[in-house]
């Protein structure tokens, strides 16, 4: 059920655009990412003789961040120092970028093997929002957002997709900086106050708070309702279907 919040969910009726994170919000690609990160870091950390990789590492150090930032954050947590390298590094383990590129290869393999479908409740909420005349965008740190949206069959619903590739091309700072969300709002010619951010990661809700958006909705897929509220969520739900009745009629 919806947890206590600082802003009433009814404010959804006053918004003009919904800015959705992708992984864990619209699609369960967080599960695909988590398996890919585990495939990357389980052997890598074992080789370095440090504490083994756990699912909590994903939520504490990786979730919602640009890929290379997630790699760097986890390495720092284990006291491992690698050079940054460049995005052109071949997948491997000698630089932060090489590890990040290796993870991307693991993700593509997982997605190809298992596919992905939207969360039913998120699809219901998205459809109701579009039917109500609201504008919708995807704002994702992932460089694979378009591929995921296409695989899930919902790419054509989003006129604006600001993903990791766009952020790199345009020099936009990743979450928890608000830059990618602000960019999406600007593409609709709207102010942050006219938009709602929908996120499942603590770094993402923090980005919404930092951008002073009209409402920040946290979807609890494992980060924890308290953690999402502490980082900036005004409303926390377990499923977006809980908010369908709050959309404009």
């Amino acid at each position: 059920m919806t947890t206590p919040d600082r802003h009433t969910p009814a404010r959804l009726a006053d918004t003009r655009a919904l800015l959705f994170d992708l992984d864990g919000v619209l699609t369960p690609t967080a599960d695909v990412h988590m398996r890919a990160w585990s495939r990357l870091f389980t052997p890598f950390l074992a080789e370095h003789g440090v504490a083994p990789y756990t699912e909590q590492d994903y939520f504490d150090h990786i979730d919602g961040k640009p890929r290379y930032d997630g790699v760097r954050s986890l390495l720092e947590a284990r006291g491992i120092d690698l050079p940054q390298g460049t995005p052109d590094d071949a997948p491997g383990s000698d630089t932060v970028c090489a590890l990040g590129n290796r993870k991307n290869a693991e993700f593509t393999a997982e997605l190809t093997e298992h596919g992905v479908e939207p969360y039913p409740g998120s699809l219901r909420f998205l459809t109701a929002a579009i039917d109500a005349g609201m504008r919708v965008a995807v704002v994702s740190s992932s460089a694979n957002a378009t591929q995921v949206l296409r695989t899930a069959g919902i790419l054509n619903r989003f006129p604006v997709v600001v993903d990791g590739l766009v952020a790199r091309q345009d020099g936009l700072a990743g979450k928890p900086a608000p830059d990618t969300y602000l960019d999406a709002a600007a593409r609709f010619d709207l102010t942050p106050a006219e938009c709602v951010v929908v996120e499942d990661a603590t770094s993402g809700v923090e980005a919404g708070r930092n951008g002073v958006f009209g409402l920040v909705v946290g979807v609890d897929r494992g980060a924890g309702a308290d953690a999402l509220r502490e980082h900036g969520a005004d409303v926390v739900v377990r499923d977006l279907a809980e908010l369908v009745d709050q959309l404009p009629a």
Side-chain angles (χ1 to χ4, degrees):
M1 67 186 287
T2 305
T3 59
D5 51 78
R6 297 190 302 274
H7 296 275
T8 170
R11 289 196 57 185
L12 282 169
D14 300 323
T15 196
R16 298 181 62 185
L18 293 167
L19 311 180
F20 294 91
D21 178 46
L22 176 60
D23 302 334
V25 171
L26 293 172
T27 59
T29 31
D31 296 339
V32 184
H33 281 290
M34 289 174 74
R35 291 195 300 269
W37 283 110
S38 181
R39 285 170 58 163
L40 171 70
F41 274 124
T42 297
F44 177 85
L45 296 181
E47 290 168 4
H48 283 73
V50 296
Y53 181 78
T54 69
E55 184 175 293
Q56 193 60 44
D57 283 319
Y58 177 80
F59 294 111
D60 290 346
H61 306 296
I62 295 168
D63 191 19
K65 296 178 182 178
R67 190 182 343 132
Y68 301 141
D69 291 350
V71 170
R72 189 184 310 106
S73 177
L74 192 140
L75 292 179
E76 289 175 352
R78 294 298 196 278
I80 299 173
D81 184 26
L82 289 181
Q84 177 67 20
T86 71
D88 295 329
D89 287 351
S93 59
D94 55 343
T95 70
V96 169
C97 289
L99 272 173
N101 293 343
R102 182 173 155 195
K103 181 268 169 180
N104 197 49
E106 299 284 11
F107 174 83
T108 299
E110 285 279 348
L111 186 64
T112 300
E113 181 178 347
H114 300 290
V116 68
E117 294 185 2
Y119 289 108
S122 297
L123 185 58
R124 181 184 167 200
F125 180 75
L126 172 64
T127 300
I130 293 173
D131 289 346
M134 301 174 76
R135 310 184 77 175
V136 295
V138 165
V139 181
S140 172
S141 298
S142 174
N144 303 294
T146 296
Q147 178 187 7
V148 170
L149 289 166
R150 183 180 294 111
T151 301
I154 55 175
L155 178 61
N156 63 346
R157 307 240 186 153
F158 295 96
V160 169
V161 176
V162 180
D163 62 7
L165 296 177
V166 172
R168 185 187 308 167
Q169 175 182 314
D170 295 348
L172 302 174
K175 306 169 188 177
D179 301 38
T180 50
Y181 276 113
L182 293 172
D183 183 78
R187 289 170 188 258
F188 286 140
D189 198 25
L190 296 175
T191 66
E194 296 174 297
C195 302
V196 170
V197 166
V198 187
E199 269 281 357
D200 73 310
T202 55
S203 59
V205 294
E206 189 173 345
R209 179 181 63 188
N210 291 340
V212 196
F213 283 84
L215 193 71
V216 180
V217 175
V219 184
D220 184 11
R221 306 287 192 195
D226 290 343
L228 290 169
R229 285 194 300 268
E230 288 169 6
H231 284 80
D234 302 310
V235 179
V236 178
V237 296
R238 292 186 178 179
D239 192 293
L240 285 174
E242 297 173 40
L243 297 177
V244 168
D245 292 343
Q246 305 297 334
L247 292 169

